[in-house]
Amino acid sequence: MAAQPKPLPIFQPNYLEGGGLLGWLTTIDHKRIAVLYMATALVFMAIGGIEAMLIRVQLWEPNNTFLSAGTYNELFTMHGTTMIFLVVMPLLIGFFGNFMIPLHIGARDVAFPRLNALSFWMALVAGITLHLGWIRGGLPDAGWFGYANLTERYFSPTLALDWWVVGLLISGTSTILSAVNFLTTIITMRAPGMSYMRIPMFMWAMMITSILILLAFPPLTVGLIFLLLDRFFGTHFYVATAGATPILWQHLFWLFGHPEVYVMALPGFGIISEVLPAFSRKPLFGYPMMAYSIVLIAFLSYGVWGHHMFATGMGPVADSAFAITSMLIAIPTGIKVFSWIATVWGGSLRMTTAFYFALAMVLEFTIGGLSGVMHASAPVDLQQTDSYFVVAHFHYVLFGGVMFAILAGFYYWWPKVTGRLFSESIGKWHFWLTVIGFNVTFFPMHFLGMWGMPRRIYTYAPDLGWTGLNQLETVGAFVLGVAFLLFYINIYWSLRYGEKAPADPWDGRSLEWSVASPPPVYNFALLPNVRGRDAWWILKYGRAGSRGVAAYVAGQPPKPPEPEAPVDLSHVHMPPPSIFPLVVSLGVGLMGLGLIVGWYRIILIGGIVTIMSIIGMGFEYKDYGQAVHDPEHAPSSGGIDVRKVGVWCFLGSECVFFASLISTFIVYKSRSIGAPGAEILEIPLTSFSTFILLMSSLLMVLALAATQRGDKVWERIWLAGTVFFGLIFLSGQAYEFTHFYHEGMGYTTNLFSQSFYTLVGFHGAHVAIGVLWLSVLLVAAITGRLGKSRALSIELAGLYWHFVDVVWIVIFTLVYLMQTVHGA
Amino acid sequence: MSDAAEAHIEQVHHPGATTYLIVAAFLVVLTAMEVTVFYVHALRPVLVPLLLILSAAKFALVAMFYMHLRYDGTLVSGIFIFPLAIATFLLITLVLLFGYLSHHLAPIINLGGG
């Protein structure tokens, strides 16, 4: 039965109340989803932390036999994978991002609430999948970077790496969906008056982080797909004896991996940029420069991946280029550090735990940043590669920078999330033990690295002089363990005994502090009208931030906001809960499980569940989701619909996905050994297919035009024509593949065949999805569910269809018509 | 969203069937030119630039007219063109990096590339 948003009753409880277990399983409220992310990440953080302490126990003394070499490899692999994919990203993006984005920009939810829930459930499925090796097949042991060809079936014959590959593919998909959602939300759903130069700095960070995710995750997805194909279907994408190169994995991985550092760091920067002004009672220093530096960091981060690969021998030109870009990125980062210091300078400071963590983050991150600049120099980096110096560096960035920011965010926003205050005294103990434990653990690693201790070794000889510092580090790790135990105790204490938090316990500056703690389901009864940066501060103290500080310091009470009168909520429409996101995720999980353990019926069942529940989501609301979007919410996107912006964001990410596939094809075409090669490709057949696909695009726009003018007959005819032409294209591809197979070009015959089939096959899969999508719309049109007012549904499907068309235009040229060109 | 609100948002004017048909004709002609370029041996020295130009023209026509980038404003253009530029950068860089490896280092480290 189609559910419909209903006007809310006058009284609404806060978002945490009511619903029971089913309410949490079917929730699409961004705040509840944020809490689900947080709870999941805290569990994984405990697991990852215990793994780290076991690593440190093993390194306590030379020739230690506490752990075997294999178990040690599993532990450092899972520690890195868990902390990055299941702790830091879920906390920063899933928890803080989810909770704060709508509250910061004055919206009632994210742009796509059900997609948001789907992202969470898929992330949970990914986390469970990554840990299923405990039950069967063992844990992955090739490092969080999974360097080829350690990950090939020949070197890792168990299921361990299979769990890793499938888990990361699901996790990556979930993250991309979140990025589409958040980017669309920030672009289109800002409150009236909230221009880009008025959004909180955390929003700048989340917006640019979302863009980074959309551009950086597809290369990892492609790299993982190649690995999956190697392990399950016998291809040789990373097997040197087949002419391939394991270096391809490094490029694809670090094309993701270095922007990923900023995917983690930028939200941390955003959090610090909220916490420091709040507790300094000053506006953020240099707001425009802070915003531009985030943009510049993100832009540059896409061109620095090669500094992870200096040791692979890329050559002096590439090394120099990557060294320059890596050094350049220090400039915008430096701007941020100086702006934070200037923000605090001269402020009226309140020394809360959140402020402590934020200040410490600036210091610890700067240390990590400085050692990072050293890595930008290729000759220096060659000395430090694979040594403990690198371990020290990235822990100063990811723990000293990012985890300290996360903890600052926890102490800052916890009252808003839970309606309870943390214990400041436990918090201070937590802080000091974290600072001491962190520096005692990681600072000596600089020296060990310079003395030549390699990373990833499970033990060392007694006469190397490394024992003392290793023991010091192990002590530090346990101090850190105690610190985090206190953090968990503080969470429990706060939820059980914590003082109830007022709406604005820190005298905050941004809009989240204008609503109750915890916020009501709908966030804002009336959408705020933003009059400047630091929107809530201006409401309290008047327009000029400095005057606000002066008033506060002089002991003048802040201008109280308007008292909360009973508000008629009949105009507020919130989307109803949905079970489909959970079911889709279960279907995806079943497919992954079936693939890994070889239960092909499970794959089939998972596939059917996934497809049917996606279609179910499409028809869940009678108006295909249009009513989900708040009618009173004036779009901040210049008149472009929210869903259209979302589709465009996704297509932008798809550009990078196909670029990764196409570049692999071009590279491997030249390296392929033996026949057949590109000469097997047939231009007449493919020219016909190209013509068919181009004409299908024509029919698609004609269908849209017919729908827009209310011509139902031609709407159905053109839609049916598009589906038919799509099917002809797919038939042509099936014929082509069959023909090649009979000519002796199997999927795994050589590098050319596998990269060709993979590229063209993925395009074909996109066409097939498009045909399915259009078929569903055709059925809707025939049954009278489309029409002029639903033209956007046709337009969105059309955008996807035309994108598939333009990708084919590129493939036709680069793969087929340039078959005789060997550039790489 | 109500129909009225929907109509408020979707005020952007899209072209009619005539424009779509003219674009389709251009696409067919450009595809024919591509195939011709492929078969004319005399054009081999300029095969790559010619094909890239023709392909880019087709890409632009579909993106601008069928995907309505020409009509939907700078926001969606930016959302699409920036990733497209990044994707192009990625493609060129990877090909160059591997080309450099294959051509300059293969004799030294016997990568076997061509």
Side-chain angles (χ1 to χ4, degrees), chain A residues 195-248:
Chain A
S195 64
Y196 284 113
M197 293 314 278
R198 288 178 174 178
I199 58 175
M201 195 50 62
F202 184 56
M203 290 301 95
W204 267 104
M206 288 309 302
M207 184 167 67
I208 302 302
T209 298
S210 301
I211 294 172
L212 260 186
I213 288 171
L214 293 177
L215 301 180
F217 270 65
L220 175 68
T221 305
V222 169
L224 287 168
I225 287 169
F226 290 159
L227 183 55
L228 186 141
L229 294 171
D230 275 9
R231 290 184 64 83
F232 287 94
F233 300 100
T235 55
H236 307 95
F237 280 101
Y238 305 123
V239 180
T241 51
T245 168
I247 298 295
L248 174 68

Side-chain angles (χ1 to χ4, degrees), chain A residues 245 251 302 313-314 626-627 639-640 644 648 652 659 663 671 683 687 694 704 708 789-790 795 802 813 817, chain B residues 1 3 6 9 14 31 34-35 38-39 55 66-68 72 76 80 83 86-87 90 94 97-98 100 102 105:
Chain A
T245 168
H251 278 295
Y302 210 78
M314 292 182 295
Q626 292 177 64
I640 306 294
K644 201 163 166 180
W648 274 111
S663 50
R671 302 174 72 98
I683 300 305
S687 302
L694 290 172
L704 174 64
Q708 285 173 334
S789 63
R790 311 283 179 249
E795 192 173 358
H802 301 311
T813 302
L817 296 178
Chain B
M1 187 178 290
D3 287 356
E6 179 89 348
I9 283 182
H14 288 162
T31 304
E34 280 184 316
V35 177
F38 174 80
Y39 282 112
S55 176
Y66 288 177
M67 299 173 88
H68 303 137
D72 279 351
V76 289
F80 187 60
I86 292 286
L90 182 153
L94 279 182
L97 280 169
F98 279 98
Y100 184 88
S102 300
L105 299 182

